[in-house]
């Protein structure tokens, strides 16, 4: 952690969707005293699930192209070839979609063959390893229940009033939803709105007035919209960043090459430079520091270009 701070990290993010409540408290006990002792200006960001759909618990396995699998409305499953999805609104959305289902930031693609209110049978189009808690969405359906789940509410209750804690809210739909969160959560809390849906980009100005910071999250945005539409939407949105009343950070594979390699690609370097030059306030690293081999080098590379942009 100290090496990451020295390399230029300004905050640490915990994705609470992948942790039990007890594990979150253990991380809080470890990280908060460290940040207080070493850098009073750093923060711990608790990334809440919000309205995002995630798979439940099951043994990890590999999905093969052409394989027929079943998705069931359940928190967990031990049956081979069956994926639990603990969100009933996902199945309602599937019924009104074009049948394309994407998982894990669209790394895996399924084609729906049959569906009802509690189950979906689908064929694997693009396979790969799948593990618990990965994101899942219907790329062509806008139906979704916008609300904080029981776990999110418990996290907020347990951490309310703690110094140095910030909250990132996933899958915010629009300013109306953000207004509900602002009313619900401790009035002094620092709230980050994650822009992962087309409606959020369209209402970014209103969302900004109700939040303290915005993150443009291209991973889930791409899963929602598809790569071409996502790229076009990000291009349009980036032209408005300088006019928004809150800082905007870029997230999603900014330095993805550094997950496995100690240096960024020239393409990543050029993109990072242009992103910061257009007015983005910084970047959010994910796999680069969460599971990558070179987390310190990734932070150092990002911080170097942030310093250049600040001249």
């Amino acid at each position: 952690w100290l090496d990451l701070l020295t390399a230029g990290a300004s905050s640490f993010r915990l994705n609470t969707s992948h942790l039990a409540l007890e594990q979150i408290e253990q991380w809080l006990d470890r990280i908060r005293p460290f940040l207080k002792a070493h850098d009073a200006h750093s923060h711990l960001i608790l990334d809440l699930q919000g309205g995002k759909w995630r798979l439940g618990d099951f043994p990890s396995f590999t999905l093969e192209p052409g394989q027929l699998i079943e998705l069931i409305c359940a928190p967990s499953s031990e049956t081979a070839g069956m994926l639990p999805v603990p969100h009933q609104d996902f199945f309602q959305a599937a019924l009104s979609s074009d049948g394309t289902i994407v998982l894990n930031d669209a790394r895996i693609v399924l084609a729906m063959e049959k569906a009802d209110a509690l189950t979906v049978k689908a064929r694997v189009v693009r396979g790969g390893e799948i593990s618990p808690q990965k994101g899942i969405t219907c790329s062509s359906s806008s139906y979704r229940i916008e609300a904080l789940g029981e776990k999110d509410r418990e996290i907020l209750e347990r951490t309310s009033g703690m110094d140095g804690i910030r909250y990132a809210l996933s899958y915010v739909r629009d300013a109306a939803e953000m207004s509900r969160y602002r009313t619900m959560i401790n009035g002094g809390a620092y709230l980050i709105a994650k822009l992962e849906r087309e409606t959020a980009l369209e209402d970014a100005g209103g969302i900004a007035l109700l939040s303290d910071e915005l993150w443009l999250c291209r991973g889930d945005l791409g899963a929602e919209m598809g790569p071409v539409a996502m790229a076009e939407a990000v291009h349009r949105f980036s032209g408005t960043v300088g006019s928004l009343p809150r800082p905007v950070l870029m997230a999603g594979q900014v330095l993805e090459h550094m997950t496995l390699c100690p240096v960024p690609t020239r393409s990543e370097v050029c993109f990072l430079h242009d992103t910061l030059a257009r007015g983005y306030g910084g970047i959010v690293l994910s796999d680069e520091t969460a599971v990558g081999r070179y987390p310190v080098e990734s932070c150092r590379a990002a911080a170097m270009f942030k310093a250049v942009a600040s001249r």
Side-chain angles (χ1 to χ4, degrees):
W1 296 338
L2 185 56
D3 289 342
L4 291 171
L5 282 174
T6 303
S10 58
S11 298
F12 292 88
R13 176 174 68 107
L14 278 181
N15 190 337
T16 63
S17 299
H18 296 284
L19 299 168
L21 288 169
E22 293 71 22
Q23 292 175 305
I24 294 170
E25 291 190 337
Q26 290 170 4
W27 277 105
L28 287 170
D29 291 341
R30 294 174 63 190
I31 296 178
R32 291 179 64 244
F34 168 81
L35 292 179
K36 187 174 181 180
H38 293 282
D39 192 336
H41 300 294
S42 296
H43 305 278
L44 178 61
I45 298 169
L46 299 181
D47 195 341
L48 304 179
Q49 183 168 335
K52 181 172 181 174
W53 296 322
R54 289 185 179 274
L55 297 173
D57 295 319
F58 59 94
S60 299
F61 65 99
T62 298
L63 291 167
E64 301 291 347
Q67 179 182 355
L68 183 64
I69 67 165
E70 187 171 5
L71 296 93
I72 61 169
C73 186
S76 63
S77 174
E78 296 291 333
T79 304
M82 188 171 287
L83 291 175
V85 185
H87 308 282
Q88 189 168 357
D89 54 329
F90 165 80
F91 295 90
Q92 293 173 279
L95 290 170
S96 62
S97 75
D98 68 358
T100 300
I101 299 170
V102 296
L103 302 92
N104 193 16
D105 285 351
R107 292 181 177 91
I108 294 173
V109 179
L110 312 177
M112 185 172 64
E113 294 193 351
K114 187 178 179 181
D116 59 37
L118 296 175
T119 61
V120 167
K121 291 184 178 180
R123 188 78 58 180
V124 178
V125 177
R126 183 165 65 234
E129 184 177 359
I130 189 66
S131 55
Q133 307 303 320
K134 293 300 184 182
I136 181 171
T137 193
C138 301
S139 59
S140 62
S141 176
S142 62
Y143 181 84
R144 189 184 299 265
I145 293 176
E146 285 86 22
L148 296 182
E150 182 179 346
K151 181 181 174 182
D152 283 348
R153 291 173 181 269
E154 182 68 21
I155 292 169
L156 289 168
E157 183 176 337
R158 294 189 186 191
T159 60
S160 178
M162 284 187 179
D163 293 334
I165 298 292
R166 296 180 173 184
Y167 303 99
L169 296 156
S170 301
Y171 266 71
V172 174
R173 177 184 177 90
D174 52 25
E177 182 184 2
M178 194 65 204
S179 178
R180 293 197 297 274
Y181 294 150
R182 176 57 77 185
T183 301
M184 176 193 311
I185 300 172
N186 173 19
Y190 191 101
L191 301 185
I192 300 165
K194 296 172 67 178
L195 308 182
E196 301 170 286
R197 304 171 69 179
E198 185 175 10
T199 53
L201 293 186
E202 294 170 351
D203 202 10
I207 293 172
L209 294 175
L210 295 157
S211 59
D212 299 286
E213 190 174 300
L214 304 175
W215 290 358
L216 177 62
C217 301
R218 297 177 301 170
D220 282 304
L221 187 64
E224 287 283 315
M225 301 181 66
V228 174
M230 180 272 293
E232 293 173 341
V234 169
H235 177 74
R236 292 192 300 270
F237 174 77
S238 295
T240 71
V241 166
S243 65
L244 291 172
R246 299 290 184 268
V248 184
L249 276 63
M250 174 68 77
Q253 299 181 332
V254 180
L255 295 173
E256 183 74 4
H257 187 67
M258 295 191 72
T259 304
L260 299 175
C261 299
V263 294
T265 65
R266 289 166 177 79
S267 177
E268 288 173 335
V269 165
C270 292
F271 171 78
L272 179 54
H273 181 277
D274 289 346
T275 294
L276 295 171
R278 296 190 75 172
Y280 284 87
I283 68 170
V284 181
L285 297 174
S286 49
D287 282 1
E288 301 95 330
T289 48
V291 298
R293 296 179 183 174
Y294 303 98
V296 175
E297 291 84 352
S298 297
C299 282
R300 189 176 294 122
M304 176 178 66
F305 280 91
K306 181 68 168 65
V308 169
S310 300
R311 289 177 184 172

